Each structure stands twice: as structure tokens, then as C-alpha cells.
Amino acid sequence: MSFAFLKPMALLCLGSTSFFVQSEEATTEPVVTETTESGLTTNTANDAKTTTQESSTVTTTGLVPFQAVKEEKHWAIGVSSYSLGIYTEDNSYFADDYDYDDEFFDGGAFFVNYHFSESISARVQFYALEHEDFSEIEISGVDVLLYWGGGFLTQGFKWYIGGGGYSETLEVGNLEEDFSGAQFNGGIGYNWEHIGLDFSLGARTTSDYEDFADKGSDDLIDRDEDMFALTVALGVSVRF
């Protein structure tokens, strides 16, 4: 047999061997992809399974974070100190000859607040006062006020401005005189969880006070008086 015939056969065998070797190295196990009803994708290769989730967020009832909600307290009931000052400026011809003192009344009050929202509130306040020099002179009355401000419902600093009306009765022995009018109020305070603190100032219209002063002086002198009235209250309340 001629060796010339074996040489091409050897080359052919060597080339085929190299081809089969490369084919074995490039061959990998098939990958099977399965999609389950729960929305999970499962890849299987070389008898090993890897599970991935299509969604990057897992939401379950036990893992939902709990966020505390601030408790809103709509009612406040409290007591306060209460002072009323009626200031008089006499513009009559006889002003230099007669001394007309300013009048001051001190006492206490009971109030109820209802907060409609964080910025709207209403107050009804009942008060009883005595003259600082003559205890037999007494005033009792009620304020009805509507406030606009901030911090009514939750804990922390609060402020408010507003207005409304007042109605009261002056008593001296058997004498009774009624006064009423409008007023402007404002204040600041602080709320703790169950306790509230308030400081407020008020300015009143004084036409009824002036009419009463004029009526009492008709038989004496012709008085021309300008009056203004201020209230001051410092109170503590229970919030619920």
C-alpha cells in the first residue's frame, strides 16, 4: 500500500477530530424557562433552579410599614383668670375739676372651645367679675367668639385672632344694667397631649358703657367721655 494514500487520510482524520472536540466544548445543557401562576419565573440549568421575581417589591400585610397618625382633639374645656378694664378719657369743660377714675374688674371664667379644623375654632366663655375697689359692684356675662389661627387640633404652639360679641350685666345692690357689643380678640398658647394653655387679649366696643356714664351725669355736669375697654385672660383647659 502506498504511503501517499495514507497522508491525505491522516490529515482528514486530524481535521475531523479537532472539529468534534470544538463541538463538544461549545455544547451546553438546554435551559428550560417556566412561568408559574403566581407570576414567578423559574430557570433550570444543570439540574439547578434559580427563582426570580418579576416585581422588585414584595408587599404583604405583615411587611407594610405602620405610620402613626397624630390624634386630633376637637374639644377643650377649661377655666381662666379674667380681667376687664374700662378706660375713660373725659373731654368735657370740667375735666380738670373732676377726677374720673378708670374702672377695673377681676375674676374668673369658664370656657368651652370646639375646633372645627386646625385653623378654625369657636369659643363660648362665661365670666363673673368684681370691682377691684368695691366688691359689691359685680359684672357677669358671656363671650361668643370665632377664631382663625393655627395649631388647634394637634400638640405644639398655637395662635389665633378673631372676634365676636359680649353680653353682660352690671349689678350694684338692687341696680342692674345690661351692656353688650362687639369685640376683637387674639391670643397664643401651647397644646400638650391632654392639656392646653391659652393667653388672650380682647378689645371691646364701648357705646353702652358711654351711654350709662352719660345717663348717670345728666344732673351734675355735661360730660363728654371717650371710653375703650380691654380684657385679659389666662386659662388652662383639658383637651379631648
Side-chain angles (χ1 to χ4, degrees):
M1 179 180 294
S2 174
F3 288 100
F5 173 76
L6 294 177
K7 184 176 181 181
M9 292 295 294
L11 292 175
L12 180 59
C13 291
L14 290 175
S16 300
T17 302
S18 176
F19 171 78
F20 288 130
V21 170
Q22 291 178 0
S23 298
E24 290 178 359
E25 293 178 353
T27 301
T28 59
E29 292 290 334
V31 177
V32 179
T33 301
E34 297 178 357
T35 303
T36 64
E37 292 181 358
S38 60
L40 301 179
T41 301
T42 303
N43 296 329
T44 304
N46 296 327
D47 297 329
K49 293 184 178 181
T50 303
T51 302
T52 60
Q53 184 179 2
E54 293 180 350
S55 174
S56 60
T57 303
V58 177
T59 304
T60 63
T61 304
L63 297 179
V64 175
F66 174 75
Q67 182 177 2
V69 178
K70 292 183 179 180
E71 183 179 0
E72 297 180 345
K73 299 184 183 298
H74 290 269
W75 289 95
I77 297 178
V79 295
S80 72
S81 62
Y82 196 100
S83 298
L84 168 64
I86 303 174
Y87 302 88
T88 303
E89 180 183 358
D90 190 352
N91 299 317
S92 71
Y93 177 78
F94 299 98
D96 295 336
D97 299 325
Y98 295 88
D99 183 17
Y100 303 107
D101 292 334
D102 300 329
E103 308 294 340
F104 297 98
F105 297 83
D106 297 309
F110 169 80
F111 63 89
V112 177
N113 283 2
Y114 181 76
H115 308 306
F116 297 94
S117 67
E118 187 74 356
S119 58
I120 302 295
S121 178
R123 170 178 291 189
V124 178
Q125 182 166 252
F126 303 91
Y127 56 90
L129 312 174
E130 290 184 354
H131 194 280
E132 67 171 359
D133 296 323
F134 306 100
S135 59
E136 63 271 16
I137 303 177
E138 300 177 342
I139 289 180
S140 58
V142 59
D143 297 323
V144 179
L145 303 164
L146 183 65
Y147 290 129
W148 173 81
F152 290 128
L153 295 179
T154 53
Q155 298 183 45
F157 176 79
K158 59 185 174 183
W159 64 272
Y160 46 90
I161 58 175
Y166 71 93
S167 178
E168 63 187 17
T169 300
L170 171 70
E171 297 182 50
V172 185
N174 295 325
L175 172 66
E176 290 188 2
E177 187 74 20
D178 294 328
F179 307 109
S180 61
Q183 59 183 327
F184 174 82
N185 286 70
I188 58 174
Y190 194 89
N191 288 333
W192 289 272
E193 184 177 1
H194 299 293
I195 301 296
L197 182 67
D198 289 86
F199 175 77
S200 63
L201 297 173
R204 292 180 168 183
T205 60
T206 57
S207 57
D208 279 5
Y209 296 144
E210 293 171 2
D211 292 343
F212 179 71
D214 290 341
K215 183 170 59 177
S217 62
D218 285 344
D219 297 333
L220 299 176
I221 58 175
D222 182 15
R223 293 170 62 182
D224 179 18
E225 294 179 333
D226 291 332
M227 291 183 173
F228 63 96
L230 297 178
T231 62
V232 180
L234 176 63
V236 60
S237 60
V238 177
R239 304 174 63 240
F240 59 95

